Amino acid sequence: MIDISQLNNVTVADDKKTAVIGGGAKISETIAAADAAGVLIMTGNCNGVSTLGALLGGGYGNTMGMFGFGVDSILEMRVVTADGSTRVVSSTKEKDLFWAMRGAGPNFGIVTSATVKAYATSEDERSAWCGALVFTPDKLEQVVQAVQDLELSSHEVTFLYFASSGPPAHAPVVIVSLWMYRGTPETGKVTFKSLYDIGPVVDTTRVAPYTAWNAAGDPFCAHSKRKPSFTAGLDRLDTKAWRATWDSFVDFQKKPGAQESLILLETYPMNEVRFAGESSAAFPHRKTRFQVIVMAWYDDPSLDDEAVEFGKGIRSLWQGSDGAEKKATYINFGHGDEPLEEIYGDNLAHLRELKREWDPENRFNQWFNIV
Ligand SMILES: Cc1cc2nc3c(=O)[nH]c(=O)nc-3n(C[C@H](O)[C@H](O)[C@H](O)COP(=O)(O)OP(=O)(O)OC[C@H]3O[C@@H](n4cnc5c(N)ncnc54)[C@H](O)[C@@H]3O)c2cc1C
């Protein structure tokens, strides 16, 4: 285990077009530095994970409709490779390694810092309309259908959760979380009219500054308890499968100590992010419309077996209802038991060649090890 959490500097260039992010900088640290310098930087949406940990696997985040995937933001990296040397890699220096690192980074080296794109903004331009709409469970099919039918433009993002209403009741509820860059209550309600028409019972949407965009996720992004999670990448949502998902969720969530368990569906605008092209980086799954995750969350180890059974059951329910020819799993959401073909897609053969070249003794072998 190599702890790089102290490599957490984030420095924005004077011309505000680039930033250098330390290998261990958390997303909250990157956003704080970006905001202070008056720029936006493409990051994931969870304050507690590391910026580059998320970016190296692909990098989903609120601004990706505008700026592309996290891997598309990376211009250059300083990498310690398996032979112990430090190299600078980019689209012109060690091109193959640069390609491999962006999607399979943890298999090839340790990134001590990365230079990424930054976007100069005024304070007004660092705001978004965001928050949650809460629905009663009888509205589930309508909500799932409305989420499926949304045609998100480049500055919009939508998440669907099955989660607890909070203590003390911990009633299971359906939540849709909305994000709209530079949106207002008026434009938000027009854009997401199909969801408002279903009749949410709670609406927490508001205009929030850049530094608060991820705040709603802080409770579930916290490091606490046991959280085995399982995921799938889907192209289509089947309302019957989502009703079955709900029933299974409600059963598990009422177990003592498991109330905070959740189901999460993320959907991002996909047109811009496809633009960089499937083979531009090792990250393979640019066309997947929905990322879905089931996360059992509890304290008592005696629930472990049931949690895994619950997670695997929901994952196969989702994969069985998608109709896709090939399974596509986002490496950063994977459980760890998925076949390499599902993780690295059509890039696996080339990654195997590069792995033999750059890490012949397989020193970097902890996460979806390319063998
Ligand atoms: C609550 C939660 C929310 C999330 N939200 C998002 C999101 O919005 N968008 C998204 O894309 N992903 C998201 N993820 C997934 C996240 O990107 C992955 O879990 C990621 O691997 C976390 O990286 P880490 O460095 O924090 O974790 P770690 O467990 O420390 O690292 C994960 C892997 O990356 C490697 N690694 C980390 N840093 C480096 C580095 N500098 N150089 C080389 N290898 C490195 C580690 O060796 C390890 O193999 C989320 C995860 C959680 C748990």
Side-chain angles (χ1 to χ4, degrees):
M1 181 77 80
I2 297 173
D3 181 354
I4 55 170
S5 57
Q6 289 185 46
L7 298 178
N8 62 349
N9 279 346
V10 179
T11 312
V12 178
D14 289 343
D15 66 5
K16 303 195 182 201
K17 290 184 176 166
T18 60
V20 178
I21 299 176
K26 288 187 175 170
I27 288 174
S28 56
E29 292 166 330
T30 300
I31 290 177
D35 189 60
V39 299
L40 291 174
I41 291 175
M42 169 62 205
T43 67
N45 293 343
C46 173
N47 281 328
V49 304
S50 80
T51 312
L52 297 187
L55 259 51
L56 290 174
Y60 281 84
N62 283 329
T63 55
M64 69 186 246
M66 300 186 288
F67 306 146
F69 278 105
V71 287
D72 302 328
S73 268
I74 301 176
L75 299 169
E76 189 176 278
M77 288 177 266
R78 282 179 73 80
V79 187
V80 180
T81 45
D83 61 1
S85 52
T86 302
R87 296 161 197 275
V88 175
V89 304
S90 70
S91 60
T92 54
K93 289 173 256 178
E94 310 287 14
K95 283 194 271 187
D96 278 352
L97 185 57
F98 184 61
W99 177 86
M101 294 292 305
R102 291 174 303 131
N107 259 272
F108 287 89
I110 301 167
V111 181
T112 55
S113 67
T115 305
V116 301
K117 293 178 191 166
Y119 302 88
T121 48
S122 66
E123 192 171 348
D124 276 357
E125 288 166 336
R126 293 194 305 286
S127 79
W129 173 83
C130 51
L133 306 181
V134 181
F135 296 89
T136 50
D138 56 305
K139 302 285 187 0
L140 187 151
E141 283 80 1
Q142 283 170 273
V143 172
V144 169
Q145 193 60 51
V147 168
Q148 165 138 267
D149 292 343
L150 285 173
E151 287 184 18
L152 296 174
S153 68
S154 58
H155 53 290
E156 295 155 9
V157 172
T158 302
F159 287 7
L160 167 68
Y161 293 90
F162 295 166
S164 149
S165 61
H170 280 300
V173 285
V174 176
I175 301 172
V176 175
S177 158
L178 302 170
W179 181 89
M180 185 179 182
Y181 178 61
R182 300 203 70 194
T184 63
E186 294 71 35
T187 56
K189 280 175 188 157
V190 171
T191 302
F192 294 102
K193 182 173 181 306
S194 59
L195 285 157
Y196 274 95
D197 283 351
I198 298 168
V201 288
V202 176
D203 176 356
T204 70
T205 54
R206 67 188 176 110
V207 174
Y210 185 23
T211 47
W213 292 352
N214 295 346
D218 283 348
F220 102 90
C221 288
H223 287 257
S224 77
K225 305 187 186 172
R226 307 168 89 79
K227 295 183 191 165
S229 50
F230 293 84
T231 187
L234 305 178
D235 291 329
R236 135 185 125 72
L237 306 177
D238 176 291
T239 49
K240 284 196 187 118
W242 280 82
R243 175 56 72 181
T245 300
W246 171 264
D247 292 342
S248 175
F249 168 72
V250 170
D251 266 359
F252 187 82
Q253 192 253 3
K254 66 181 172 220
K255 292 185 192 299
Q259 287 80 5
E260 290 162 305
S261 300
L262 51 91
I263 306 277
L264 167 60
L265 175 153
E266 303 187 347
T267 179
Y268 293 92
M270 297 306 292
N271 290 335
E272 301 295 321
V273 296
R274 288 177 191 181
F275 187 67
E278 298 282 299
S279 57
S280 58
F283 170 65
H285 302 307
R286 285 173 184 266
K287 292 183 181 157
T288 310
R289 259 192 90 194
F290 305 103
Q291 297 294 339
V292 290
I293 303 160
V294 43
M295 188 188 283
W297 190 352
Y298 54 95
D299 221 0
D300 178 359
S302 71
L303 267 185
D304 283 350
D305 289 348
E306 279 178 84
V308 168
E309 194 187 333
F310 162 65
K312 283 189 174 171
I314 291 199
R315 180 176 65 181
S316 56
L317 184 66
W318 286 334
Q319 288 177 331
S321 65
D322 181 44
E325 277 172 34
K326 283 186 186 171
K327 289 179 191 163
T329 296
Y330 177 36
I331 188 169
N332 282 359
F333 292 164
H335 180 74
D337 60 345
E338 295 88 346
L340 293 182
E341 289 73 11
E342 201 175 309
I343 298 291
Y344 298 113
D346 293 341
N347 292 331
L348 180 58
H350 190 38
L351 281 168
R352 281 186 167 131
E353 285 165 25
L354 294 175
K355 179 78 174 171
R356 281 193 289 274
E357 181 183 344
W358 288 99
D359 184 15
E361 291 175 46
N362 198 15
R363 291 184 189 278
F364 297 113
N365 59 11
Q366 296 296 301
W367 191 235
F368 291 105
N369 189 205
I370 298 167
V371 284

